[in-house]
Amino acid sequence: MSTNELSVQNPQTQRDEGVQISRNRRIWIAGILLLFGVIVGTLISVRETFGEFIGQSPLINAADTGFVFISACLVMLMTPALALFYGGMVRKKNVLGTMMQSFVTLGVVTFIWVAYGYSLAFGPDVNHLIGNLSWAGLQGVTLAPNPSYSTTIPHQLFMLFQMMFACLTPALITGAFAGRFKFKAYIMFLVLWVTFVYCPLAHWVWGDGGWIKNLGGLDFAGGLVVHIGSGAAALAACLVLGVRKGYKKEAMPPHNLTLTFIGACLLWFGWFGFNAGSALSAGSLAISAFLVTQVAAGMGVISWCLTEWANRGRPTVLGALSGGVAGLVAITPAAGFVSATAAVVIGFLAGLVCYLAVSLKSKFNYDDSLDVVGIHGVGGILGSLLVGVFASVLINPDGTSGLIFGSWHLLWVQIVSTIASIAFSFCGTWIILSFLSKFTELRVTERQEMKGLDVTQHSENCYRI
């Protein structure tokens, strides 16, 4: 056999061996997960979980239960909506790979949440930093209400509602590294990030005994946990992974804004469950949260379009969609604490500030592919700080009045909470990615990046023409 023949065959042999090793690893991972699931299942007491409550509890309110049930469905819809939103903005060679990174969270995070994630995030407090594992496998998470979180809906329904938040949050991060993250490495990152970043952060802000909650920090529906958490993580991921091949040298326009338009509309629709549902009851607070969500989103559209029109000479569809999302992000932490008038200001500022943040990213030389940092990170920070300005006990007696009502304390608490959330998520993400890089390649090869994630990671094409 000639040297030329060897040079042709060896790469193929290496690829075949690599495929086999990859398949073996998948089998091992699937087996370990299955075994873990069986072990967890054996630890669950049927009596503990279901025997305590089977029939209709006198504490459960049917209207509240139905409302939160529908809201959970709406929040679940936001993850595939995000897949469409992101999928339309990437190049056609990366559509399926990008959508898959969002969609797979519905599977992976659901398993984590049931196995131990919910217990870490909302379980009995340990030193105000994390929940313990007494609710692992949903042991003790019954169909009766848990007074720590709601007195009128089943505990399992609250768990389900929060599960949808946990599924969406890591999916938001994927827009920052679209087109360059290996799928295998992403799955590892997803498991570690939800476990070591999302669950502790959720406990700090929402868990019974969490230190930010005890401090008096307010986050009605996820400004600190979801948007700042994902935005700070996105920035860390951008810096660790580096820029896309051809960044600043070749045009990388969205391949299908129709998909992005559909995704944005579904996100807006789902956001009503996200914000109004966080009231956990079908009452006046939910109506107020619904109203301010719509107002802020609308003002975000107007503000972004006006800013873009003044700066570029014409408004764009993508800009209008981005403005709407920016308004939704900024109102999220404030939705249950501010009036519709305040929502006008919050939404307008969100469109303006997020537009400027997105416009400036190239000057700082980080490649945030789909503007996660500029919209979710910056928008979440803006909204969290403005809670300290516009919050009013007239809207929510369980909250605190902000700066314009004469109290500086809440603004100071929101500043501390925001800085803590940014630092924790950024540093945690950096550590996780640095740790993973010691064991596996995080980024696809240059050749794979040129071919696209669809073919190299999933052996599929979005379009066959």
Side-chain angles (χ1 to χ4, degrees):
M1 184 177 294
S2 68
T3 304
N4 288 339
E5 289 174 321
L6 283 173
S7 66
V8 172
Q9 292 183 3
N10 285 341
Q12 181 62 45
T13 301
Q14 292 174 355
R15 283 194 294 271
D16 292 341
E17 290 175 352
V19 169
Q20 184 61 44
I21 291 173
S22 181
R23 287 174 179 170
N24 291 340
R25 286 176 179 171
R26 291 194 192 103
I27 292 171
W28 275 106
I29 291 172
I32 292 171
L33 289 176
L34 179 61
L35 178 61
F36 182 71
V38 171
I39 292 173
V40 171
T42 60
L43 296 176
I44 301 175
S45 167
V46 175
R47 179 180 179 277
E48 180 72 18
T49 305
F50 296 106
E52 180 182 326
F53 175 73
I54 298 294
Q56 179 68 34
S57 168
L59 299 176
I60 287 178
N61 181 284
D64 292 348
T65 299
F67 173 69
V68 178
F69 179 83
I70 294 171
S71 295
C73 293
L74 289 173
V75 181
M76 178 271 165
L77 178 66
M78 293 176 72
T79 299
L82 183 72
L84 292 172
F85 184 71
Y86 281 172
M89 286 195 284
V90 298
R91 289 174 287 183
K92 63 181 179 181
K93 64 183 179 181
N94 294 320
V95 180
L96 296 179
T98 299
M99 294 174 74
M100 181 64 165
Q101 288 176 346
S102 291
F103 188 77
V104 76
T105 64
L106 289 172
V108 175
V109 179
T110 293
F111 175 80
I112 293 172
W113 204 245
V114 170
Y116 61 86
Y118 178 68
S119 190
L120 291 178
F122 291 92
D125 179 71
V126 179
N127 297 322
H128 311 300
L129 296 174
I130 194 68
N132 65 26
L133 290 173
S134 61
W135 291 351
L138 302 188
Q139 185 173 0
V141 182
T142 70
L143 295 171
N146 184 308
S148 296
Y149 299 110
S150 174
T151 58
T152 62
I153 66 172
H155 191 187
Q156 287 186 5
L157 178 57
F158 177 79
M159 180 275 300
L160 278 166
F161 184 64
Q162 290 297 334
M163 177 194 290
M164 302 313 171
F165 283 67
C167 289
L168 175 65
T169 306
L172 292 171
I173 303 171
T174 65
F177 48 66
R180 57 196 190 276
F181 209 158
K182 278 190 173 182
F183 186 70
K184 179 179 71 173
Y186 169 67
I187 294 298
M188 297 177 186
F189 168 75
L190 175 60
V191 173
L192 294 176
W193 194 86
V194 171
T195 302
F196 294 106
V197 177
Y198 183 85
C199 289
L201 189 55
H203 186 79
W204 292 2
V205 178
W206 293 326
D208 187 24
W211 74 267
I212 288 180
K213 185 175 182 179
N214 288 350
L215 187 67
L218 299 181
D219 182 6
F220 190 72
L224 294 170
V225 180
V226 178
H227 299 297
I228 291 177
S230 61
L235 180 58
C238 291
L239 297 176
V240 172
L241 289 170
V243 303
R244 288 167 289 177
K245 182 175 175 58
Y247 181 63
K248 291 186 177 180
K249 297 178 182 178
E250 60 184 77
M252 300 180 183
H255 91 285
N256 190 336
L257 281 178
T258 302
L259 281 182
T260 299
F261 182 88
I262 294 171
C265 292
L266 290 174
L267 280 172
W268 193 326
F269 178 62
W271 225 291
F272 294 128
F274 198 76
N275 286 358
S278 292
L280 299 178
S281 64
S284 57
L285 184 60
I287 299 302
S288 177
F290 191 115
L291 172 61
V292 298
T293 299
Q294 176 66 24
V295 170
M299 291 307 300
V301 172
I302 294 171
S303 177
W304 191 297
C305 286
L306 289 175
T307 306
E308 190 173 42
W309 208 335
N311 188 46
R312 300 179 58 185
R314 59 178 64 86
T316 64
V317 173
L318 181 58
L321 300 177
S322 299
V325 173
L328 291 165
V329 168
I331 198 61
T332 293
F337 304 111
V338 302
S339 66
T341 304
V344 171
V345 179
I346 292 172
F348 189 86
L349 288 176
L352 173 62
V353 172
C354 290
Y355 176 86
L356 295 175
V358 169
S359 301
L360 291 172
K361 69 176 181 178
S362 61
K363 296 185 181 299
F364 293 96
N365 202 34
Y366 69 91
D367 184 11
D368 178 12
S369 304
L370 307 181
D371 300 326
V372 183
V373 179
I375 294 179
H376 293 279
V378 173
I381 292 169
L382 178 69
S384 181
L385 297 179
L386 290 179
V387 171
V389 176
F390 293 110
S392 171
V393 293
L394 297 177
I395 302 296
N396 188 341
D398 293 329
T400 307
S401 290
L403 181 62
I404 65 171
F405 296 99
S407 173
W408 284 86
H409 177 71
L410 179 59
L411 179 58
W412 169 247
V413 170
Q414 291 302 114
I415 292 172
V416 171
S417 302
T418 299
I419 293 173
S421 299
I422 295 170
F424 179 71
S425 183
F426 181 87
C427 295
T429 303
W430 191 290
I431 292 170
I432 289 170
L433 290 173
S434 299
F435 171 78
L436 287 177
S437 68
K438 305 297 183 183
F439 302 96
T440 186
E441 293 290 334
L442 299 179
R443 184 168 174 157
V444 295
T445 65
E446 183 176 318
R447 177 175 174 274
Q448 290 173 330
E449 187 173 346
M450 293 298 292
K451 291 185 69 175
L453 299 186
D454 294 3
V455 172
T456 62
Q457 302 301 297
H458 305 291
S459 299
E460 295 174 301
N461 280 304
C462 185
Y463 303 105
R464 295 186 181 274
I465 301 175

